[in-house]
């Protein structure tokens, strides 16, 4: 199982993102050399408290749809990770607009698509220089996009049973899955694997209190998927428990 040396997690101020940061930092060895957590807010109490206790945690402000800021953000990341680059990018930030057919609007569709699909692609593109640096060292380098079974066309009935047919969220995650597959093809030559990860139905603000999983269980599962990932897994949709799902 490959260890993570440097990792960037978007949407780390709460929920699964914060759970991933916490899970990495509590490892017996202190976690990766660099853990970079992003938040839209200038300050975040939970992340600030963790940063006070862990010198390897770097908290950066990022608005995922402020594309003009990405070049400057990428330079900040490059300064943190240095010559060995960034070996793990977890595109976790996202929203769920749960509009059904009778209520969905064009604005709902476009907003969810931008946040959940366009933003992760544009950020990955901006961070390609540091990801390629890592790939060039021959150590495992991964882009993990946090997706959902809601984006699974083949098994849409499973998500519908829980959420109903919610058009903006489901289609944005299906688009993210296609982006994952495209990236897996384009980035293979640079030694970078790309995977979509289904985190499970988690007890978060987005998932609701009736979620089947705790944040801790989901976060540890996601990290295990990333650590165990092989070249053959690139481009797939994999559940937090290691199950490979169809698109």
């Amino acid at each position: 199982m490959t260890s993570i040396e440097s990792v960037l997690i978007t949407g780390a101020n709460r929920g699964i993102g914060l759970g991933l940061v916490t899970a990495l930092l509590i490892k017996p060895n202190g976690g990766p050399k660099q853990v970079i957590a992003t938040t839209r807010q200038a300050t975040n109490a939970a992340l600030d408290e963790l940063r006070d206790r862990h010198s390897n945690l770097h908290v950066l402000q990022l608005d995922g749809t402020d594309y003009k800021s990405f070049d400057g953000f990428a330079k900040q990341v490059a300064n943190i990770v240095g010559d060995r680059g960034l070996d793990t990018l977890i595109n976790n930030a996202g929203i769920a607009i749960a509009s059904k057919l009778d209520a969905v609007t064009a604005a709902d569709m476009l907003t969810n698509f931008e946040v959940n699909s366009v933003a992760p692609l544009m950020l990955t593109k901006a961070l390609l220089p540091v990801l390629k640096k890592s790939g060039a060292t021959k150590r495992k380098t991964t882009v993990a996009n946090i997706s959902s079974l809601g984006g699974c066309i083949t098994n849409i009935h499973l998500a519908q049973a829980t959420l109903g047919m919610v058009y903006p969220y489901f289609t944005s995650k299906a688009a993210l899955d296609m982006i994952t597959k495209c990236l897996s093809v384009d980035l293979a030559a640079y030694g970078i694997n790309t995977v979509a990860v289904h985190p499970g139905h988690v007890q978060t603000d987005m998932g609701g209190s009736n979620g089947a999983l705790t944040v801790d269980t989901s976060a540890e599962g996601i990290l295990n998927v990333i650590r165990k990932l092989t070249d053959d897994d690139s481009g797939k949709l994999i559940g937090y428990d290691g199950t490979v799902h169809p698109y």
Side-chain angles (χ1 to χ4, degrees), residues 8 36 60 62 68-82 123 126-130 133:
L8 189 154
I36 304 171
L60 300 181
L62 176 69
K68 292 180 180 179
S69 72
F70 281 13
D71 285 347
F73 177 79
K75 290 176 182 177
Q76 288 182 285
V77 174
N79 289 336
I80 292 170
V81 299
L123 182 61
L127 293 175
L128 279 180
V130 288
K133 273 189 177 182

Side-chain angles (χ1 to χ4, degrees), residues 77-91:
V77 174
N79 289 336
I80 292 170
V81 299
D83 292 339
R84 285 179 60 78
L86 178 72
D87 65 59
T88 306
L89 168 61
I90 304 179
N91 285 312

Side-chain angles (χ1 to χ4, degrees), residues 22 29 33 37 40 49 73-74 78 82 85 88 101 115 180 192 201 206 208 230 238 245:
T22 304
N29 64 355
K33 290 182 180 179
R40 293 183 65 184
E49 190 273 333
F73 177 79
T88 306
L101 182 58
V115 175
T180 300
I192 302 170
H201 187 192
M206 184 183 296
T230 68
I238 304 178
H245 297 280

Side-chain angles (χ1 to χ4, degrees), residues 145-149 152 177 195-202 213 217-229 233 236-247:
N145 294 322
I146 302 303
S147 187
S148 168
L149 282 188
C152 177
D177 290 344
V195 65
V197 183
H198 165 55
H201 187 192
V202 188
L213 301 176
T217 299
S218 175
E220 195 56 53
I222 292 167
L223 294 174
N224 282 336
V225 169
I226 293 170
R227 294 188 187 103
K228 294 177 180 178
L229 201 70
D233 295 321
K236 295 180 179 178
L237 171 62
I238 304 178
Y240 73 96
D241 59 356
T243 301
V244 177
H245 297 280
Y247 281 132

Side-chain angles (χ1 to χ4, degrees), residues 106-243:
D108 291 340
M109 297 295 294
L110 292 169
T111 298
N112 224 154
F113 179 69
E114 180 174 30
V115 175
N116 289 3
S117 313
V118 178
L121 173 60
M122 292 297 102
L123 182 61
T124 302
K125 180 183 176 183
L127 293 175
L128 279 180
V130 288
L131 290 165
K132 288 179 178 178
K133 273 189 177 182
S134 173
T137 69
K138 304 302 181 183
R139 77 186 195 270
K140 187 167 78 170
T141 303
T142 305
V143 175
N145 294 322
I146 302 303
S147 187
S148 168
L149 282 188
C152 177
I153 296 172
T154 302
N155 292 329
I156 188 62
H157 58 283
L158 297 177
Q160 180 193 15
T162 302
L163 300 174
M165 196 64 77
V166 292
Y167 283 71
Y169 180 66
F170 285 178
T171 55
S172 71
K173 290 299 186 180
L176 181 62
D177 290 344
M178 178 56 84
I179 289 167
T180 300
K181 187 64 177 180
C182 292
L183 287 171
S184 74
V185 175
D186 279 344
L187 300 184
Y190 303 101
I192 302 170
N193 289 328
T194 309
V195 65
V197 183
H198 165 55
H201 187 192
V202 188
Q203 298 164 11
T204 63
D205 290 344
M206 184 183 296
S209 59
N210 63 337
L213 301 176
T214 65
V215 169
D216 292 346
T217 299
S218 175
E220 195 56 53
I222 292 167
L223 294 174
N224 282 336
V225 169
I226 293 170
R227 294 188 187 103
K228 294 177 180 178
L229 201 70
T230 68
D231 291 348
D232 290 339
D233 295 321
S234 191
K236 295 180 179 178
L237 171 62
I238 304 178
Y240 73 96
D241 59 356
T243 301

Side-chain angles (χ1 to χ4, degrees), residues 21-80:
V21 172
T22 304
L24 287 164
L25 293 175
I26 64 174
K27 297 299 179 187
N29 64 355
K33 290 182 180 179
Q34 296 104 12
V35 177
I36 304 171
T38 79
T39 175
R40 293 183 65 184
Q41 300 88 1
T43 61
N44 177 269
L47 289 174
D48 290 345
E49 190 273 333
L50 286 171
R51 181 173 52 188
D52 289 342
R53 293 191 287 114
H54 300 275
S55 60
N56 55 332
L57 175 61
H58 305 263
V59 180
L60 300 181
Q61 187 174 11
L62 176 69
D63 181 341
T65 58
D66 182 9
Y67 309 120
K68 292 180 180 179
S69 72
F70 281 13
D71 285 347
F73 177 79
K75 290 176 182 177
Q76 288 182 285
V77 174
N79 289 336
I80 292 170

